[in-house]
Amino acid sequence: MKIPFKDSPRNKKLENLVITAILIILFRLIFPSNSSAGVYTASEFLLFGFIYFAALYLNDFFNVKKYAPLSVILNIGVLTAIIFFILSVSGNSSSGSIPNTTAVESFFYMLASFLLIGGLAYIFISFRYLFFLRQKKNPGKYFNVMVLFLVISYFLNIVDKYFKESSFLWEAFFAVSIMLISINSLRVSWIAFLTKKEKIYLLVMSVVIAFLFLRIASLFDAKEITLLASLKDFSGGTWTYMLSMMIYGAVYSFVIFFTALFHLPTAEAFDRKAEEVSSLMDLSKIITKVFNSKQLADTIISLSSKICNSDCAWLVTCDKDTIEVQSTVNIGYVESEKITQKLLLEINEGIDETIILGKSSIRIAYENDLKIYNFSSIAIAPLMRHEQVTGYIFAAKKNNTVFDDEDKKAISAYADYAAVAFENARLFSESIEKERMEKELEVAREIQHKIVPSETPKFRNLQIAARFKPAYEVGGDYFDFFDISDEKVGFVVADVSGKGISAAFVMAEVKGIFESLSKVISAPKELLTCANDILKRSLDKKSFVTAVYGIINLNTGVVNLARAGHTPILLVSGNDVNRLTPNGIGLGIDNGLNFNQYITELEFKLNNDDILTLYSDGITECKNLKLEDFGMERFEKLLKENKSISLESASDKIIESLEEFSKEYIQHDDITLVLLKWGNH
Amino acid sequence: MADFNVSSRGVGSVNVLDLKGYLDAHTAPELEKAFNKLIDEKSFNVIVNFRDLNYISSAGLGVFMAYVETMRENKGDIKFSNMKENVYNIFDLLGFPVLYEFFKDETEALDKFKVQG
């Protein structure tokens, strides 16, 4: 059913209300008395309109979603008191007839009537608000039926006034209305959600309000009150409406009184449960927001202390044998730590669920004094993470009260939450730490890329291209070029065993060694021997470095090179690829052997367009998903195929082929490729 | 991920470690454990049989470097046998053959230990 004017804005509703009021006043001025049935009927309709608009306007002040029944009840109480006051001061008429009134008096009567009707509209809307409050299902139709009967009763007054013989109609409808009012009054589930204090308040209020409503209702029949008597004569509908509101109020107040009374004994338990639920909700909110352990501990311990009414409580975290008090309520940190130690020592076995200890007195030495704590009950709840105890919540009572099962459950719940919260906080700080590490690694990566030449140097007769790709942020591969003299250039490719940070540190050391040795030793064999001596001292037993070091004469194209355990040097010459594998063991491998004795130096002359290829085993041992190696053959074939294109393009081709080959498999070793092309054109 | 397995068996005064699968940074600790056990038992004559080993990484090589010293200080040795070509190539490139003894077959290595007595 669509209610007219229901959705218009508030000021529009007020406008309607005022217009109706003015219409009524004008109507009254024109027709001072109900001279005919027509006038009476019109007057009744106007008054109904006033009530209707008043109710619509006032309804906007109520929001069913907001839970504030007590203030509504208080408003009802105040309003009934005012109505009672108005009725009381409006004067008595012992005769029951309407006295002759002056214009001023009738104006006041009019004003008082408006106030009465408005006040009752407010009370009616209040009942409606309370009716719908905290209802799970929508009980709207019960209320609407009641309203319908009230409206019918209202208008039946007209019939009643002029057809006395059919007054049973009004009586019947009014009786049904009262019945419906009584039924609807039983919807008071909102009372259950009040706290104990509020229930007591409500109990008192309901007595007062019931008295007021009953008192006013009793006036209706007495015909002692001028205002009411005149009202009945003047508008039977309004009189009916007022009377039914009084009955509604009286019945409702009684229902409230008894409901509140019966709810009182369970109020405390209900309060406690409600508080538990709401505090656990608060806690779960905190868990996701607060990552400060101290703040978490404070919140948890104060909440659990409050919920189970303990005299003091504290939270400790333990790590192996050390315990640390994180937060306390009503007890000092030092004392609580000593008591904890005493208690845990006494129990002397793992606490993996909440326990309640009976009477116990605990003596602790404190500030050169012996302090005795007499507890009537102590609850200990462990904080568990992955079946390990990470801490405890202690709660203690002093005054002969004990913790019951409810307290035990509550403390357990708090301990569980606390465990989760601490775990969260720990993980959060770990993730921050991880982020920091990642940043540092990023810095390390940048530094490493500065250690290797970012641009390949340019020399006459010699083109150079290089590629460097660590498997992780940093790696153990290294390559470099050195200006030795006007006509000689040194080059090195090295590979530190292992990967990641440890390899990167050694790589930096290797860089330093080659950088400085290249300035003082020109022969590759001697240089590698010297590098071996240095590295032997700093490398751990399990690590080694492989390297190729060579010198190229820019005038003649003569190359001298030596290999220390490194991958073969590939010489692309004409249509062949020659693997050069001069003897030589890896740096840091020989234990007591004469490294120098086992290394041979190679000397050869480059021809035009010869390409000298140096690389790390990251290329040949690059793997695909089937764990197949990229291998020497593929690599050599690629070199042959791309020997005629520019060195840069050839390097890119090789790296692309490697990526294509291992695209389904993570790169697990550092990749370095250095191409040197001789061109004495 | 590729599997690795190491088993130890005694042949007279010599202990033979049979390696199987892939020896890399992830699986190297298993081999280290086997060597530590041998040192605890004071068995310093060790033959490592590579018959079923398919791959070795630098981390794997490092294990032998770490333990050979201890064995030799105690008048023992680590000898290698039955190595596949691809695995041998890795040892060879690094120059291990100058530092360690490699044998085609386990019995040859055992004979060598007998001669050394």
Side-chain angles (χ1 to χ4, degrees), chain B residues 11-43:
Chain B
V11 182
S13 62
V14 180
N15 264 282
V16 180
L17 293 179
D18 290 300
L19 308 188
K20 201 175 162 185
Y22 287 73
L23 179 55
D24 57 21
H26 294 286
T27 57
E30 272 187 64
L31 182 59
E32 281 173 25
K33 234 191 279 172
F35 272 114
N36 284 331
K37 210 175 150 217
L38 291 178
I39 290 169
D40 288 344
E41 291 166 359
K42 305 215 179 299
S43 316

Side-chain angles (χ1 to χ4, degrees), chain B residues 59-91:
Chain B
L61 296 167
V63 179
F64 301 114
M65 289 163 56
Y67 288 96
V68 74
E69 226 171 278
T70 320
M71 301 303 180
R72 286 180 185 167
E73 275 164 13
N74 290 287
K75 308 225 176 331
D77 196 13
I78 300 176
K79 297 186 198 301
F80 302 138
S81 80
N82 304 71
M83 215 175 260
K84 286 182 180 158
E85 203 193 333
N86 64 329
V87 176
Y88 179 76
N89 283 342
I90 292 169
F91 279 94

